[in-house]
Amino acid sequence: KMGSSSCCRCCMFSLGLLIAFAVLIYALSLALRSTDGQEFSSSNGPRATESLRCITVVSRHGNRGPIFNISNSPYPVDDTKYWPYGMGGLTPRGRVQMYDLGVKIRSLYNGFLDPLYYTGDFYASSTAMDRVLMSGEAFMAGLYPPSGFQLWNKKIFWQPIPIYSNSLDKTIELESCPRFLEERDKYSQIFGETYSANVSSIVRYINNQTGLNLTGFDGFTMEWDMLICADSEGYALPDWTKKVYPEPMTNLAGKLYIAYFAASDIMVRLLIGPFFGEMLQVLESKVHGTLTPD
């Protein structure tokens, strides 16, 4: 039986097509425990202070494969040599990233976080998307390595921890929201009026270098996605890309993403408001002593 009651909650959700993952952890008043007479003792992490009552950690999912299939790409999305988990799949490097993040959080908050996983202490939820779920699994493998009685197989330094999938990608859900679509149309038009010439110039350059026939913002987005995915995996890019990548393409891609998903307070409130509402509700419950378990 644990010596003190405690609660830790983890939530993961998808933000959008190109930037699509966050992990939220609510870790509340955790104390080191003993099980079957065995004490789990180790040095506290540098952030596991006596005054700490709650942790919130937010992260993107790990690296993914490209989500478009572009002909003439040096790293075709259907080539398993480069993308063994396919289009949009969590890459080998992405898996390591999320595992290492879990290890890092453990090192920072060890002593505040219990060394053992208990169902009553920790709740994980995820957007219903493969790479998001898998990122969460890798993260928790690093956060809660099994020890003591939880080391159920000495050949596998891992233990199963449930993840509950509670929602679709918020950007997909908002495709049926007239108010959000109205705002997106407004700000994407502004983006087009402001940056259309810049995007067209880059697309023409890419077409001249590759023989492709990319057009408009869609073509720009497809090529940028391929370049950033390959670059993030450590693959060498053709020399011609240096003229347009990482800049100015990355800066323009960021502005385009904002225009589509976060250009106004209304868009932000509709896209991320429910998540922040849930987070604030948990924090307020903790402050008022009504969180169960606490």
Side-chain angles (χ1 to χ4, degrees):
K1 182 71 175 179
M2 65 183 182
S4 63
S5 61
S6 53
C7 174
C8 178
R9 185 176 184 185
C10 174
C11 299
M12 302 162 208
F13 71 103
S14 169
L15 284 177
L17 186 63
L18 300 177
I19 302 174
F21 177 65
V23 178
L24 171 70
I25 300 169
Y26 302 118
L28 305 173
S29 302
L30 296 180
L32 292 176
R33 295 183 276 214
S34 62
T35 305
D36 296 333
Q38 182 179 2
E39 291 289 332
F40 292 92
S41 62
S42 60
S43 59
N44 287 354
R47 298 185 184 177
T49 62
E50 291 184 2
S51 61
L52 186 61
R53 292 295 179 270
C54 181
I55 305 169
T56 302
V57 180
V58 179
S59 170
R60 184 182 184 265
H61 62 70
N63 282 5
R64 61 162 174 80
I67 54 177
F68 303 105
N69 192 6
I70 301 179
S71 61
N72 296 339
S73 169
Y75 308 107
V77 71
D78 56 358
D79 190 334
T80 56
K81 176 182 177 181
Y82 303 111
W83 312 108
Y85 298 101
M87 183 179 291
L90 189 67
T91 67
R93 181 171 289 193
R95 296 158 195 252
V96 172
Q97 287 173 332
M98 296 311 300
Y99 177 83
D100 287 348
L101 179 61
V103 171
K104 181 64 175 180
I105 297 299
R106 165 61 60 183
S107 70
L108 291 174
Y109 295 100
N110 194 48
F112 182 76
L113 291 171
D114 196 291
L116 298 177
Y117 166 77
Y118 289 95
T119 303
D121 295 344
F122 193 93
Y123 176 83
S125 66
S126 171
T127 298
M129 184 177 290
D130 288 355
R131 62 176 174 264
V132 188
L133 286 159
M134 295 166 74
S135 291
E137 291 167 357
F139 174 83
M140 288 187 286
L143 186 67
Y144 278 105
S147 60
F149 75 92
Q150 293 186 339
L151 187 60
W152 60 279
N153 187 327
K154 294 183 179 180
K155 295 181 179 180
I156 306 176
F157 197 58
W158 169 85
Q159 62 176 319
I161 296 177
I163 302 178
Y164 300 91
S165 184
N166 63 352
S167 68
L168 296 173
D169 185 317
K170 297 299 185 293
T171 59
I172 295 175
E173 292 182 329
L174 288 173
E175 288 297 324
S176 60
C177 175
R179 189 70 180 94
F180 182 85
L181 295 178
E182 179 184 343
E183 289 289 294
R184 186 170 71 181
D185 289 344
K186 172 183 176 181
Y187 286 98
S188 60
Q189 181 177 348
I190 293 173
F191 175 88
E193 293 171 352
T194 307
Y195 297 107
S196 178
N198 305 67
V199 170
S200 295
S201 176
I202 292 172
V203 170
R204 281 196 303 271
Y205 174 76
I206 293 171
N207 288 339
N208 290 336
Q209 296 296 321
T210 63
L212 294 171
N213 189 29
L214 302 175
T215 58
F217 298 144
D218 289 344
F220 171 87
T221 301
M222 292 169 65
E223 184 66 23
W224 178 80
D225 180 71
M226 188 281 290
L227 291 175
I228 194 169
C229 287
D231 187 29
S232 297
E233 284 299 291
Y235 299 145
L237 300 180
D239 287 340
W240 65 262
T241 63
K242 295 178 182 178
K243 185 175 179 180
V244 293
Y245 179 86
E247 297 301 346
M249 288 189 75
T250 298
N251 181 265
L252 285 170
K255 286 181 167 60
L256 179 59
Y257 185 86
I258 290 173
Y260 266 68
F261 298 113
S264 70
D265 289 346
I266 292 173
M267 296 175 77
V268 171
R269 186 164 64 248
L270 291 172
L271 180 66
I272 204 67
F275 166 73
F276 282 123
E278 179 185 355
M279 182 170 63
L280 288 173
Q281 183 178 9
V282 170
L283 298 177
E284 289 174 355
S285 296
K286 174 61 181 176
V287 169
H288 297 304
T290 58
L291 189 64
T292 304
D294 186 16

